[in-house]
Amino acid sequence: AGTINGLPMRSLPLLVVLLFPTRLHALEPLIKLSSGTNAVETVAKASSATATNAGANAPNRVLPGEPPVRKNYLLPAVEIPAFLLLLNGYDRIAFPNTYYNSGLQSANKFFLHGHWEYDQDTFGEAQLGHPLQGAMMYGFARSSGLNFWESLLYSNAGSYVWMITGETDNPRINGQVTTGNAGAIFGEELYRMGSLVLERGSENGEK
């Protein structure tokens, strides 16, 4: 079977599932029962801190009964490096003696003197593998309560860290773009689909 960014193709469905948010966030939620029905509605009241906190896909929305959770900038800053470290460790085991055997020496070289170039990856790796990796990193930030633009910064930062430390090849310009930016777009689509699935219906809680 083929591989994408060192991961077997058969593992792609698992990655998509992992991208679905494990929690949705809101500030000042109000839970109330609909009159005459057993349906539960979530009303996210806007405030000075959450002026746009409305709608099923609002970045800070929660599910009925969940406590409010504020933005967490530290959590994705820990999760993304941990994810990249685990990915590199897997690649070292699955593909020994390849360009995944990076270290402090190669990272220091690329950070200080590295020559950025265009890669010659296959279409599947460049246009599917890189965005999937970026979507994972974007999802870590988005599910921590951050909005699209904030999560975009995290996915690009994670992409840069991988280019410098994840491989012994020269860092790649198009890889940075597709991982950080296309990954954010792909990740937002998956995040919104996950939000709709977890809320199981329309904005007012109907099923």
Side-chain angles (χ1 to χ4, degrees):
T3 61
I4 294 179
N5 274 23
L7 294 176
M9 290 290 291
R10 62 177 177 272
S11 66
L12 295 184
L14 176 60
L15 287 178
V16 173
V17 172
L18 291 175
L19 286 173
F20 277 25
T22 57
R23 62 189 184 279
L24 304 176
H25 306 279
L27 303 180
E28 303 179 18
L30 174 63
I31 311 302
K32 67 179 183 179
L33 291 177
S34 301
S35 59
T37 68
N38 294 323
V40 178
E41 296 180 352
T42 301
V43 179
K45 299 172 61 178
S47 68
S48 59
T50 58
T52 59
N53 186 21
N57 292 319
N60 295 319
R61 190 176 174 93
V62 297
L63 294 177
E66 286 189 329
V69 181
R70 297 184 181 274
K71 291 183 178 181
N72 191 328
Y73 294 95
L74 178 61
L75 184 59
V78 174
E79 290 177 331
I80 291 174
F83 163 68
L84 296 178
L85 185 63
L86 290 174
L87 179 60
N88 180 262
Y90 169 83
D91 291 335
R92 288 170 181 263
I93 297 174
F95 308 98
N97 302 319
T98 61
Y99 49 82
Y100 294 112
N101 291 332
S102 55
L104 293 178
Q105 183 176 0
S106 62
N108 182 68
K109 170 188 172 183
F110 294 143
F111 180 73
L112 297 177
H113 314 289
H115 173 68
W116 286 75
E117 60 184 24
Y118 288 94
D119 65 21
Q120 301 297 324
D121 288 340
T122 64
F123 179 85
E125 183 174 2
Q127 305 303 325
L128 182 60
H130 289 307
L132 268 176
Q133 182 177 347
M136 284 287 294
M137 297 183 289
Y138 176 89
F140 290 136
R142 196 71 164 91
S143 63
S144 296
L146 279 61
N147 62 32
F148 173 83
W149 299 108
E150 293 168 329
S151 301
L152 176 67
L153 293 177
Y154 275 82
S155 63
N156 274 279
S159 176
Y160 177 80
V161 171
W162 177 262
M163 293 298 167
I164 298 300
T165 65
E167 302 174 355
T168 57
D169 286 350
N170 287 332
R172 298 171 297 280
I173 299 173
N174 46 336
Q176 172 69 35
V177 172
T178 55
T179 302
N181 297 284
I185 296 173
F186 186 33
E188 179 67 15
E189 294 172 350
L190 293 173
Y191 177 85
R192 294 195 178 201
M193 286 190 293
S195 299
L196 294 174
V197 169
L198 291 175
E199 293 204 5
R200 297 181 180 178
S202 63
E203 181 179 342
N204 62 7
E206 296 177 357
K207 297 183 179 180

